[in-house]
Amino acid sequence: MTINIILLGPPGAGKGTQARTLVEERGLVQLSTGDMLREARTSGTEMGRVVAEVMDKGQLVTDEIVIGLIREKLETVDAPGFIFDGFPRTLPQADALNDLLAGMGRQIDAVIEIQVDDTALVDRISGRFTCGNCGEVYHDQTKPTAKPGVCDLCGSTDLKRRADDNADSLKTRLLEYYKKTSPLIGYYYAKKQLHPVDGMAEMDEVGRQVAAVMDGIGGR
Ligand code: ADP
Ligand code: ZN
């Protein structure tokens, strides 16, 4: 039996953090289109150049590109289950994902919607930085490193901020989310696959709510 879940929510909702826990505790494989696109932009190809420009403005990359990236992973990665993080982000992407999974005899088992207030998102994202080595996520105010400039977990000094974590592109990212991604909430609700969790709670509590959903669908 395989488990496939989608993490849905606005930028800064904590999808990546929850995905990391599910990878560690349940052996699922995280498929983050954001991470794939950030990798593609360093490739030096024409596609990478276009992607970089679109991402830095906070707009969505075309459905064609992200669906192609996901298809490639699904065809090549063998896993007991996938966590889709940041995908699908549009209705055509959701349809494409259904078709891809159906072709593999798989399906979406749950869509976990992380609900967060708008005002909190701006604060969360504007202080965010991550470790380039291990991927741990920090925040200037709420979760600084113990020693300035050094990752608590792995000791790396390669701490970085994303080019699109600034006020201008964040505004666009939120608009894109409400215009193009939030309709997916109604779509999955109608399919009885939607499981909201309280993304304003403490991180551990959000983790417990996500775990409860996973246990409910047999995701052990
Ligand atoms: P966040 O959820 O914080 O916005 P992501 O890392 O998921 O961060 O995405 C960063 C950017 O990558 C998005 O603003 C968008 O430009 C692009 N992107 C990621 N996933 C998709 C997708 N499924 N469809 C279109 N564009 C995407
Ligand atoms: Zn680290």
Side-chain angles (χ1 to χ4, degrees):
M1 162 150 173
T2 68
I3 290 283
N4 302 291
I5 64 158
I6 293 172
L7 292 178
L8 191 62
K15 301 185 292 286
T17 304
Q18 296 306 325
R20 278 165 69 84
T21 309
L22 293 171
V23 169
E24 275 163 34
E25 294 181 357
R26 294 173 197 253
L28 302 178
V29 168
Q30 176 188 9
L31 295 183
S32 158
T33 42
D35 288 348
M36 292 176 207
L37 290 166
R38 275 183 286 278
E39 205 173 295
R41 59 185 288 169
T42 63
S43 66
T45 60
E46 172 63 14
M47 191 262 251
R49 205 185 50 73
V50 174
V51 161
E53 204 173 299
V54 173
M55 280 178 95
D56 288 352
K57 278 193 236 155
Q59 294 164 350
L60 291 188
V61 171
T62 63
D63 288 339
E64 198 189 349
I65 290 179
V66 289
I67 292 167
L69 289 170
I70 287 285
R71 178 185 298 118
E72 194 186 312
K73 292 285 180 192
L74 289 178
E75 283 170 358
T76 54
V77 179
D78 190 30
F82 293 107
I83 309 157
F84 296 94
D85 164 12
F87 179 91
R89 256 176 157 98
T90 63
L91 288 166
Q93 290 179 23
D95 283 335
L97 180 59
N98 281 342
D99 292 347
L100 282 170
L101 289 175
M104 305 167 68
R106 288 180 177 238
Q107 60 174 24
I108 291 298
D109 298 288
V111 178
I112 300 178
E113 184 212 346
I114 308 182
Q115 300 181 324
V116 184
D117 295 349
D118 253 25
T119 45
L121 297 175
V122 180
D123 291 341
R124 283 189 189 188
I125 290 187
S126 27
R128 178 163 80 169
F129 61 100
T130 56
C131 171
N133 181 49
C134 74
E136 183 68 355
V137 184
Y138 294 98
H139 190 281
D140 293 328
Q141 275 82 46
T142 57
K143 193 186 169 191
T145 53
K147 217 166 120 198
V150 184
C151 176
D152 293 354
L153 294 191
C154 73
S156 168
T157 53
D158 180 23
L159 301 174
K160 34 188 177 193
R161 279 172 212 274
R162 275 169 46 172
D164 59 347
D165 277 353
N166 62 72
D168 258 5
S169 57
L170 178 57
K171 209 170 138 202
T172 309
R173 280 156 70 199
L174 283 173
L175 276 174
E176 291 278 76
Y177 176 78
Y178 288 111
K179 257 199 302 199
K180 298 174 184 165
T181 308
S182 68
L184 295 180
I185 296 171
Y187 173 86
Y188 288 118
Y189 173 78
K191 289 169 74 107
K192 301 204 181 339
Q193 291 180 313
L194 194 72
H195 300 264
V197 300
D198 177 11
M200 295 300 289
E202 298 266 334
M203 215 167 66
D204 288 352
E205 169 58 18
V206 182
R208 277 191 290 276
Q209 292 187 17
V210 170
V213 174
M214 295 301 292
D215 294 340
I217 59 167
R220 271 260 162 237

